[in-house]
Amino acid sequence: MCTAATYKTKDFYFGRTLDYEFSYGDQIVITPRNYAFNFRHVGDMKNHYAIIGMAHVAEDYPLYYDAMNEKGVAMAGLNFVGNAVYAAIKPDVENIAQFEFIPWILSQCSSLVEVRELLERINIVNTPFSEQLPLAQLHWIISDENESTTVESMSDGLHIYDNPVGVLTNNPPFPQQMFQPK
């Protein structure tokens, strides 16, 4: 089971396990500042923060599993099989394909305050990268040195949760991960 966790002492740490028996060709990938991202529904982004993380690169596009930008905002996508549902394209919002979500956030946000502002106008859509690389069923943890949030796209819409523990694992949905019987 994959798990992402944050840890803060005088420094901020963000890490995750990737518990697969095989590799998708993942590698350490650095997307330099101002490398042109071509987002499927919102066009090109030519000016952005640098990003480093683990990704599978397809057609010169980094399909990030997890990453951190130069401002210290970190993000990981974890399996959410059976629960993840992505929306159809909608007007008047920023339609971001599931595989674009990590670079979309990390390219422009220097803090969780900015992440939350961006999330208010986002729609995570069901556009696959290609026929050979269909949609991954994921939910995400996004963190900076001060706080964390969890994002889940489900059949009843986009859910954004404060994550006071700074930890996320695969299924179940985040509210059930936080449940502690007394």
PDB file of all heavy atoms in Angstrom, residues 6-21:
ATOM      1  N   THR A   6       4.240  13.701   5.603  1.00  0.00           N
ATOM      2  CA  THR A   6       5.024  14.907   5.838  1.00  0.00           C
ATOM      3  C   THR A   6       5.614  14.836   7.236  1.00  0.00           C
ATOM      4  O   THR A   6       5.090  14.136   8.111  1.00  0.00           O
ATOM      5  CB  THR A   6       4.158  16.170   5.727  1.00  0.00           C
ATOM      6  OG1 THR A   6       3.137  16.125   6.733  1.00  0.00           O
ATOM      7  CG2 THR A   6       3.513  16.286   4.360  1.00  0.00           C
ATOM      8  N   TYR A   7       6.694  15.568   7.429  1.00  0.00           N
ATOM      9  CA  TYR A   7       7.349  15.598   8.732  1.00  0.00           C
ATOM     10  C   TYR A   7       8.041  16.938   8.864  1.00  0.00           C
ATOM     11  O   TYR A   7       8.729  17.379   7.939  1.00  0.00           O
ATOM     12  CB  TYR A   7       8.364  14.454   8.839  1.00  0.00           C
ATOM     13  CG  TYR A   7       9.062  14.370  10.172  1.00  0.00           C
ATOM     14  CD1 TYR A   7       8.376  13.965  11.308  1.00  0.00           C
ATOM     15  CD2 TYR A   7      10.403  14.685  10.284  1.00  0.00           C
ATOM     16  CE1 TYR A   7       9.017  13.877  12.531  1.00  0.00           C
ATOM     17  CE2 TYR A   7      11.059  14.598  11.506  1.00  0.00           C
ATOM     18  CZ  TYR A   7      10.361  14.195  12.618  1.00  0.00           C
ATOM     19  OH  TYR A   7      10.993  14.123  13.837  1.00  0.00           O
ATOM     20  N   LYS A   8       7.817  17.602   9.999  1.00  0.00           N
ATOM     21  CA  LYS A   8       8.434  18.905  10.185  1.00  0.00           C
ATOM     22  C   LYS A   8       9.176  18.946  11.503  1.00  0.00           C
ATOM     23  O   LYS A   8       8.630  18.668  12.556  1.00  0.00           O
ATOM     24  CB  LYS A   8       7.390  20.011  10.136  1.00  0.00           C
ATOM     25  CG  LYS A   8       8.046  21.364  10.329  1.00  0.00           C
ATOM     26  CD  LYS A   8       7.248  22.495   9.822  1.00  0.00           C
ATOM     27  CE  LYS A   8       8.124  23.720  10.008  1.00  0.00           C
ATOM     28  NZ  LYS A   8       7.540  24.935   9.931  1.00  0.00           N
ATOM     29  N   THR A   9      10.439  19.294  11.413  1.00  0.00           N
ATOM     30  CA  THR A   9      11.256  19.648  12.566  1.00  0.00           C
ATOM     31  C   THR A   9      11.637  21.097  12.291  1.00  0.00           C
ATOM     32  O   THR A   9      10.760  21.911  12.014  1.00  0.00           O
ATOM     33  CB  THR A   9      12.486  18.733  12.679  1.00  0.00           C
ATOM     34  OG1 THR A   9      13.233  18.808  11.470  1.00  0.00           O
ATOM     35  CG2 THR A   9      12.077  17.295  12.927  1.00  0.00           C
ATOM     36  N   LYS A  10      12.912  21.413  12.293  1.00  0.00           N
ATOM     37  CA  LYS A  10      13.300  22.747  11.839  1.00  0.00           C
ATOM     38  C   LYS A  10      13.233  22.818  10.316  1.00  0.00           C
ATOM     39  O   LYS A  10      13.218  23.884   9.729  1.00  0.00           O
ATOM     40  CB  LYS A  10      14.676  23.133  12.346  1.00  0.00           C
ATOM     41  CG  LYS A  10      15.820  22.283  11.833  1.00  0.00           C
ATOM     42  CD  LYS A  10      17.146  22.760  12.381  1.00  0.00           C
ATOM     43  CE  LYS A  10      18.319  21.926  11.984  1.00  0.00           C
ATOM     44  NZ  LYS A  10      18.569  21.683  10.633  1.00  0.00           N
ATOM     45  N   ASP A  11      13.176  21.665   9.651  1.00  0.00           N
ATOM     46  CA  ASP A  11      13.041  21.560   8.207  1.00  0.00           C
ATOM     47  C   ASP A  11      11.723  20.847   7.879  1.00  0.00           C
ATOM     48  O   ASP A  11      11.087  20.261   8.745  1.00  0.00           O
ATOM     49  CB  ASP A  11      14.211  20.765   7.616  1.00  0.00           C
ATOM     50  CG  ASP A  11      15.551  21.450   7.843  1.00  0.00           C
ATOM     51  OD1 ASP A  11      15.656  22.644   7.524  1.00  0.00           O
ATOM     52  OD2 ASP A  11      16.468  20.790   8.358  1.00  0.00           O
ATOM     53  N   PHE A  12      11.350  20.889   6.610  1.00  0.00           N
ATOM     54  CA  PHE A  12      10.123  20.242   6.142  1.00  0.00           C
ATOM     55  C   PHE A  12      10.500  19.071   5.239  1.00  0.00           C
ATOM     56  O   PHE A  12      11.315  19.209   4.323  1.00  0.00           O
ATOM     57  CB  PHE A  12       9.271  21.247   5.363  1.00  0.00           C
ATOM     58  CG  PHE A  12       8.129  20.638   4.606  1.00  0.00           C
ATOM     59  CD1 PHE A  12       7.096  19.984   5.264  1.00  0.00           C
ATOM     60  CD2 PHE A  12       8.079  20.710   3.219  1.00  0.00           C
ATOM     61  CE1 PHE A  12       6.044  19.422   4.560  1.00  0.00           C
ATOM     62  CE2 PHE A  12       7.029  20.156   2.505  1.00  0.00           C
ATOM     63  CZ  PHE A  12       6.008  19.514   3.184  1.00  0.00           C
ATOM     64  N   TYR A  13       9.899  17.908   5.500  1.00  0.00           N
ATOM     65  CA  TYR A  13      10.154  16.706   4.707  1.00  0.00           C
ATOM     66  C   TYR A  13       8.834  16.196   4.136  1.00  0.00           C
ATOM     67  O   TYR A  13       7.801  16.225   4.804  1.00  0.00           O
ATOM     68  CB  TYR A  13      10.772  15.608   5.574  1.00  0.00           C
ATOM     69  CG  TYR A  13      12.090  16.017   6.179  1.00  0.00           C
ATOM     70  CD1 TYR A  13      12.137  16.583   7.448  1.00  0.00           C
ATOM     71  CD2 TYR A  13      13.277  15.838   5.491  1.00  0.00           C
ATOM     72  CE1 TYR A  13      13.337  16.967   8.017  1.00  0.00           C
ATOM     73  CE2 TYR A  13      14.489  16.218   6.047  1.00  0.00           C
ATOM     74  CZ  TYR A  13      14.509  16.784   7.310  1.00  0.00           C
ATOM     75  OH  TYR A  13      15.698  17.166   7.853  1.00  0.00           O
ATOM     76  N   PHE A  14       8.906  15.710   2.912  1.00  0.00           N
ATOM     77  CA  PHE A  14       7.751  15.122   2.243  1.00  0.00           C
ATOM     78  C   PHE A  14       8.256  13.873   1.528  1.00  0.00           C
ATOM     79  O   PHE A  14       9.250  13.927   0.803  1.00  0.00           O
ATOM     80  CB  PHE A  14       7.170  16.103   1.211  1.00  0.00           C
ATOM     81  CG  PHE A  14       5.949  15.591   0.496  1.00  0.00           C
ATOM     82  CD1 PHE A  14       4.682  15.877   0.985  1.00  0.00           C
ATOM     83  CD2 PHE A  14       6.049  14.849  -0.673  1.00  0.00           C
ATOM     84  CE1 PHE A  14       3.544  15.421   0.327  1.00  0.00           C
ATOM     85  CE2 PHE A  14       4.929  14.394  -1.344  1.00  0.00           C
ATOM     86  CZ  PHE A  14       3.669  14.679  -0.830  1.00  0.00           C
ATOM     87  N   GLY A  15       7.575  12.761   1.741  1.00  0.00           N
ATOM     88  CA  GLY A  15       7.998  11.531   1.083  1.00  0.00           C
ATOM     89  C   GLY A  15       6.822  10.614   0.855  1.00  0.00           C
ATOM     90  O   GLY A  15       5.726  10.845   1.360  1.00  0.00           O
ATOM     91  N   ARG A  16       7.072   9.572   0.091  1.00  0.00           N
ATOM     92  CA  ARG A  16       6.021   8.596  -0.180  1.00  0.00           C
ATOM     93  C   ARG A  16       6.656   7.275  -0.546  1.00  0.00           C
ATOM     94  O   ARG A  16       7.791   7.218  -1.010  1.00  0.00           O
ATOM     95  CB  ARG A  16       5.088   9.076  -1.266  1.00  0.00           C
ATOM     96  CG  ARG A  16       5.609   9.174  -2.681  1.00  0.00           C
ATOM     97  CD  ARG A  16       5.440   7.940  -3.568  1.00  0.00           C
ATOM     98  NE  ARG A  16       4.139   7.382  -3.714  1.00  0.00           N
ATOM     99  CZ  ARG A  16       3.222   7.782  -4.577  1.00  0.00           C
ATOM    100  NH1 ARG A  16       3.485   8.778  -5.403  1.00  0.00           N
ATOM    101  NH2 ARG A  16       2.064   7.192  -4.649  1.00  0.00           N
ATOM    102  N   THR A  17       5.903   6.211  -0.318  1.00  0.00           N
ATOM    103  CA  THR A  17       6.298   4.898  -0.798  1.00  0.00           C
ATOM    104  C   THR A  17       5.571   4.658  -2.109  1.00  0.00           C
ATOM    105  O   THR A  17       4.492   5.202  -2.345  1.00  0.00           O
ATOM    106  CB  THR A  17       5.938   3.791   0.199  1.00  0.00           C
ATOM    107  OG1 THR A  17       4.504   3.768   0.368  1.00  0.00           O
ATOM    108  CG2 THR A  17       6.609   4.024   1.550  1.00  0.00           C
ATOM    109  N   LEU A  18       6.154   3.850  -2.962  1.00  0.00           N
ATOM    110  CA  LEU A  18       5.518   3.454  -4.214  1.00  0.00           C
ATOM    111  C   LEU A  18       5.604   1.935  -4.262  1.00  0.00           C
ATOM    112  O   LEU A  18       6.574   1.368  -4.717  1.00  0.00           O
ATOM    113  CB  LEU A  18       6.226   4.095  -5.411  1.00  0.00           C
ATOM    114  CG  LEU A  18       5.573   3.885  -6.768  1.00  0.00           C
ATOM    115  CD1 LEU A  18       4.162   4.459  -6.798  1.00  0.00           C
ATOM    116  CD2 LEU A  18       6.416   4.526  -7.861  1.00  0.00           C
ATOM    117  N   ASP A  19       4.596   1.305  -3.703  1.00  0.00           N
ATOM    118  CA  ASP A  19       4.616  -0.134  -3.490  1.00  0.00           C
ATOM    119  C   ASP A  19       4.032  -0.899  -4.672  1.00  0.00           C
ATOM    120  O   ASP A  19       2.886  -1.337  -4.648  1.00  0.00           O
ATOM    121  CB  ASP A  19       3.844  -0.481  -2.211  1.00  0.00           C
ATOM    122  CG  ASP A  19       4.468   0.133  -0.980  1.00  0.00           C
ATOM    123  OD1 ASP A  19       5.694   0.325  -0.990  1.00  0.00           O
ATOM    124  OD2 ASP A  19       3.739   0.420  -0.022  1.00  0.00           O
ATOM    125  N   TYR A  20       4.845  -1.034  -5.716  1.00  0.00           N
ATOM    126  CA  TYR A  20       4.479  -1.834  -6.875  1.00  0.00           C
ATOM    127  C   TYR A  20       5.507  -2.937  -7.047  1.00  0.00           C
ATOM    128  O   TYR A  20       6.679  -2.756  -6.713  1.00  0.00           O
ATOM    129  CB  TYR A  20       4.478  -0.988  -8.162  1.00  0.00           C
ATOM    130  CG  TYR A  20       3.267  -0.111  -8.334  1.00  0.00           C
ATOM    131  CD1 TYR A  20       3.418   1.240  -8.589  1.00  0.00           C
ATOM    132  CD2 TYR A  20       1.986  -0.625  -8.273  1.00  0.00           C
ATOM    133  CE1 TYR A  20       2.313   2.063  -8.766  1.00  0.00           C
ATOM    134  CE2 TYR A  20       0.876   0.181  -8.443  1.00  0.00           C
ATOM    135  CZ  TYR A  20       1.048   1.519  -8.696  1.00  0.00           C
ATOM    136  OH  TYR A  20      -0.041   2.319  -8.869  1.00  0.00           O
ATOM    137  N   GLU A  21       5.093  -4.044  -7.613  1.00  0.00           N
ATOM    138  CA  GLU A  21       6.010  -5.147  -7.884  1.00  0.00           C
ATOM    139  C   GLU A  21       6.777  -4.918  -9.176  1.00  0.00           C
ATOM    140  O   GLU A  21       7.682  -5.659  -9.509  1.00  0.00           O
ATOM    141  CB  GLU A  21       5.246  -6.477  -7.990  1.00  0.00           C
ATOM    142  CG  GLU A  21       4.580  -6.925  -6.708  1.00  0.00           C
ATOM    143  CD  GLU A  21       3.201  -6.298  -6.527  1.00  0.00           C
ATOM    144  OE1 GLU A  21       2.488  -6.043  -7.518  1.00  0.00           O
ATOM    145  OE2 GLU A  21       2.849  -6.031  -5.369  1.00  0.00           O
TER     146      GLU A  21
END
